[in-house]
């Protein structure tokens, strides 16, 4: 954040506030001007620098505002640190609400549903095996495996048998299964109520690990300004495989284009925090403070601290460095920086409010608004209706299958023999 002056005057900025506070203490006069090429500086093949670093190298100036040091510029300038480097954050759309079509199955994960299905099958298998084994050894009615399956399924649907078994084995099995089903049903009901009350959302993206875990339908963008100097070295020289993968899948893109891509598609934008916060607040936030963007909670430091750059051999460098340390420890530099950003923000928002069409005030925030506060809607019930329709269809298919196969004598007699008498215990 180098504040190049306009017309020889330094605009309101952190450097202006610092120099106005430091000048009376050290008792010096100063003149401010911008470098001819308006650049911080790049290294030429012959070893010379352009921009403000080049002016320091040639001795044409003594001090430059708000610059960061690097391995290549270290022999040329001394850095008096003022503020930490702006961190890199991940900008995506806010977590979206998950579809409610299958809310009836959302209380449990796929693994839990598999465990429940396996439990129904195992209980039915044990009941069928022990009942028939008891019938062979002690006596009593036999049961079919189909009946055991439906009996086990009926208990978990809160339709227990009208009477309990008369023998100890059946009572133990039924009691254990009733307690198990009571716990499962209690968990299911409480989770379903929570899902109907507060709609589930997609997981937010807060780290590079979250980024690489996304499928290849997602694309990544890297703020083009960061592909120069130390930020680029952070991505290119880093040995961490996660950072390497993020850099490999990222494209260089401008700030405004990156935010527009985030709006339109599955896109994650890596950008400096202060810069993107100001852009979102100015262009993508309505009058009520609503915005469609989500900024990651975790941030990454990709460059060294910012401060004033002094030419090598500058006599008062140590005095400036000590005063800057005191300003930083007192919290003044952080306060001034936030105040400058807020002042600029209020100024631009005021200009935009005067020129913006009122019909576009909620252009972006509507993406995340909830139209009503009805707890249960038609979308919630679609999954229930689908479950009922599938059940009716399966029962109809089973009914037709029984009619068709009952026409064969062997199948018919087997079917008749498999029917359970009233007193099966």
């Amino acid at each position: 954040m180098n504040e190049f002056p306009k017309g020889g005057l330094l605009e309101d900025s952190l450097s202006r506030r610092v120099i106005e506070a430091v000048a009376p203490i050290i008792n010096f006069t100063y003149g401010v001007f911008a470098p001819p090429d308006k650049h911080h500086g790049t290294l030429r093949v012959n070893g010379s620098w352009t921009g403000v670093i080049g002016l320091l190298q040639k001795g044409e100036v003594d001090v430059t505002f708000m610059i960061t040091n690097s391995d290549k510029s270290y022999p040329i300038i001394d850095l008096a640190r003022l503020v930490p480097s702006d961190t890199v954050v991940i900008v995506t759309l806010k977590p979206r609400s998950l579809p409610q079509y299958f809310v009836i199955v959302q209380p449990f994960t796929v693994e839990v549903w598999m465990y429940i299905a396996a439990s129904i099958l195992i209980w039915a298998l044990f009941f069928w095996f022990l009942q028939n084994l008891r019938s062979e050894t002690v006596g009593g009615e036999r049961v079919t495996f189909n009946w055991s399956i439906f009996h086990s399924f009926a208990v978990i649907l809160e339709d227990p048998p009208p009477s309990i078994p008369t023998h100890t084995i059946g009572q133990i099995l039924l009691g254990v299964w009733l307690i198990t089903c009571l716990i499962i049903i209690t968990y299911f009901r409480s989770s379903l109520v929570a899902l109907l009350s507060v709609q589930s959302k997609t997981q937010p993206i807060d780290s590079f690990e979250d980024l690489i875990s996304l499928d290849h339908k997602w694309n990544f963008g890297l703020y083009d300004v960061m592909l120069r100097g130390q930020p680029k070295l952070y991505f290119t020289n880093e040995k961490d495989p996660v950072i390497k993968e993020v850099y490999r899948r990222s494209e260089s893109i401008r700030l405004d284009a990156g935010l527009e891509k985030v709006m339109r598609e599955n896109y994650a934008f890596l950008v400096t925090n202060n810069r993107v916060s100001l852009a979102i607040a100015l262009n993508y936030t309505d009058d009520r403070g609503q915005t469609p963007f989500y900024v990651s909670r975790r941030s990454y430091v990709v460059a060294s601290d910012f401060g004033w750059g002094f030419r090598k051999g500058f006599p008062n460098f140590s005095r400036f460095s000590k005063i800057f340390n005191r300003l930083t420890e007192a919290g003044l530099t952080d306060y001034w920086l936030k105040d400058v950003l807020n002042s600029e923000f209020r100024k631009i928002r005021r200009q935009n409010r005067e020129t913006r069409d009122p019909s576009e005030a909620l252009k972006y925030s509507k993406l995340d608004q909830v139209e009503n506060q009805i707890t249960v809607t038609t979308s919630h019930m679609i999954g229930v209706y689908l479950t009922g329709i599938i059940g009716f269809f399966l029962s109809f298919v089973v009914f037709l299958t029984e009619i068709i196969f009952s026409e064969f004598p062997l199948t018919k007699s087997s079917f008749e023999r498999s029917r359970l008498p009233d007193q099966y215990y």
Side-chain angles (χ1 to χ4, degrees):
M1 47 181 297
N2 198 335
E3 309 90 347
F4 291 141
K6 296 181 179 179
L9 298 176
L10 188 62
E11 296 183 336
D12 186 27
S13 61
L14 176 61
S15 293
R16 176 178 175 177
R17 300 191 183 191
V18 170
I19 199 172
E20 289 177 351
V22 173
I25 299 175
I26 303 182
N27 191 21
F28 68 89
T29 58
Y30 59 90
V32 182
F33 65 94
D37 53 6
K38 301 295 179 66
H39 288 294
H40 291 83
T42 56
L43 181 62
R44 294 193 181 103
V45 179
N46 59 5
S48 62
W49 286 79
T50 62
V52 293
I53 300 181
L55 296 179
L56 290 174
Q57 184 183 34
K58 299 173 185 177
E60 297 180 5
V61 297
D62 295 314
V63 185
T64 180
F65 295 149
M66 303 312 296
I67 197 170
T68 185
N69 213 342
S70 64
D71 295 338
K72 295 181 179 179
S73 61
Y74 180 78
I76 301 174
I77 63 175
D78 289 324
L79 185 70
R81 291 173 175 81
L82 268 176
V83 292
S85 173
D86 196 2
T87 56
V88 173
V89 294
I90 305 170
V91 178
T92 54
L93 284 180
K94 283 184 176 179
R96 299 289 187 87
S97 299
L98 292 174
Q100 297 295 313
Y101 305 127
F102 301 103
V103 68
I104 193 173
V105 298
Q106 288 180 356
F108 293 152
T109 61
V110 177
E111 293 80 5
V112 174
W113 284 116
M114 293 176 62
Y115 295 151
I116 294 175
S119 301
I120 294 174
L121 181 62
I122 292 173
W123 187 90
L125 181 64
F126 266 90
F127 190 87
W128 169 78
F129 175 75
L130 293 177
Q131 180 72 18
N132 291 339
L133 181 62
R134 183 178 182 276
S135 176
E136 293 290 340
T137 57
V138 181
E141 297 293 340
R142 298 176 61 88
V143 296
T144 63
F145 184 70
N146 290 340
W147 183 90
S148 298
I149 286 288
F150 286 112
H151 194 72
S152 175
F153 191 68
V155 173
I156 203 170
L157 293 179
E158 297 184 293
D159 187 18
S163 59
I164 63 175
T166 57
H167 53 85
T168 307
I169 296 177
Q171 292 176 354
I172 293 175
L173 285 175
L174 182 60
V176 172
W177 184 236
L178 285 172
I179 295 175
T180 304
C181 292
L182 175 64
I183 297 174
I184 294 175
I185 292 170
T186 303
Y187 273 112
F188 180 82
R189 283 179 173 174
S190 59
S191 299
L192 184 61
V193 170
L195 287 171
L196 293 175
S197 303
V198 181
Q199 194 170 6
S200 300
K201 294 181 179 293
T202 56
Q203 291 295 326
I205 300 174
D206 284 315
S207 64
F208 287 164
E209 288 77 10
D210 295 338
L211 276 182
I212 63 174
S213 65
L214 300 173
D215 56 37
H216 288 280
K217 294 181 180 180
W218 280 77
N219 297 315
F220 306 156
L222 196 60
Y223 187 26
D224 56 356
V225 175
M226 297 193 306
L227 294 178
R228 300 191 295 265
Q230 283 191 347
K232 183 177 181 180
L233 295 177
Y234 173 81
F235 290 98
T236 55
N237 295 346
E238 181 61 44
K239 296 182 180 180
D240 189 345
V242 175
I243 299 178
K244 283 186 177 181
E245 179 65 14
V246 171
Y247 180 70
R248 186 188 66 84
R249 294 176 58 179
S250 300
E251 63 175 350
S252 175
I253 191 170
R254 294 179 293 104
L255 178 64
D256 53 348
L259 293 177
E260 288 297 328
K261 273 198 170 186
V262 174
M263 292 281 295
R264 295 194 306 266
E265 57 188 82
N266 294 332
Y267 199 82
F269 187 32
L270 282 69
V271 61
T272 52
N273 188 19
N274 289 337
R275 187 68 185 89
V276 75
S277 298
L278 185 61
I280 292 175
L282 291 176
N283 303 315
Y284 298 92
T285 304
D286 64 9
D287 295 333
R288 293 181 295 177
Q290 294 177 324
T291 176
F293 294 112
Y294 175 80
V295 179
S296 63
R297 296 180 180 178
R298 181 176 177 181
S299 57
Y300 296 86
V301 179
V302 300
S304 59
D305 297 341
F306 279 91
W308 286 10
F310 294 80
R311 62 175 176 82
K312 286 290 184 178
F314 184 73
N316 291 321
F317 170 74
S318 59
R319 295 186 63 187
F320 276 94
S321 183
K322 290 179 181 180
I323 293 176
F324 287 178
N325 288 337
R326 293 175 183 175
L327 293 176
T328 302
E329 292 173 357
L332 285 176
T333 55
D334 185 61
Y335 171 77
W336 285 335
L337 178 61
K338 292 181 179 179
D339 188 55
V340 168
L341 293 176
N342 291 334
S343 299
E344 185 69 15
F345 165 73
R346 289 191 295 267
K347 176 183 176 182
I348 300 178
R349 281 296 298 269
R350 187 164 49 251
Q351 295 175 353
N352 291 346
R353 192 180 296 111
E354 296 173 355
T355 58
R356 186 174 58 181
D357 186 358
S359 62
E360 297 183 355
L362 300 178
K363 176 181 179 181
Y364 299 104
S365 60
K366 286 183 178 180
L367 292 176
D368 198 58
Q369 289 183 4
V370 180
E371 294 181 359
N372 52 62
Q373 297 297 326
I374 299 177
T375 303
V376 181
T377 61
T378 306
S379 62
H380 295 81
M381 304 303 295
I382 290 179
V384 180
Y385 296 145
L386 289 176
T387 303
I389 293 173
I390 293 173
F392 290 140
F393 177 75
L394 291 178
S395 61
F396 182 70
V397 171
V398 173
F399 175 69
L400 292 180
T401 304
E402 289 181 349
I403 294 177
I404 294 173
F405 282 93
S406 64
E407 299 298 327
F408 298 94
L410 292 177
T411 306
K412 183 176 182 181
S413 59
S414 301
F415 174 74
E416 290 177 349
R417 288 197 302 269
S418 65
R419 289 187 297 177
L420 186 70
D422 295 336
Q423 301 296 328
Y424 60 92
Y425 297 113

